[in-house]
Amino acid sequence: MTDEQEPIHRSTEEARAGATPHMTRYILGYSLALVIVIFAIVVFTRL
């Protein structure tokens, strides 16, 4: 039986229960750039 006071040590992979691809950072970057471009187009066409 395990001691309830002892902390459980898990690796990052075990805690996530899977892998996270590095594609997410690129998708977030492209989305942010696209939003900025669209916002600039909307702002400058209304002037």
Side-chain angles (χ1 to χ4, degrees):
M1 188 166 209
T2 61
D3 185 16
E4 291 183 15
Q5 299 298 323
E6 186 178 332
I8 299 172
H9 298 285
R10 300 255 183 227
S11 70
T12 307
E13 288 291 316
E14 290 174 333
R16 280 193 203 124
T20 45
H22 294 287
M23 222 166 61
T24 307
R25 73 179 75 173
Y26 298 118
I27 293 171
L28 289 173
Y30 292 145
S31 299
L32 178 62
L34 186 61
V35 165
I36 291 171
V37 168
I38 291 172
F39 182 73
I41 290 170
V42 168
V43 167
F44 289 122
T45 56
R46 291 193 166 207
L47 292 179

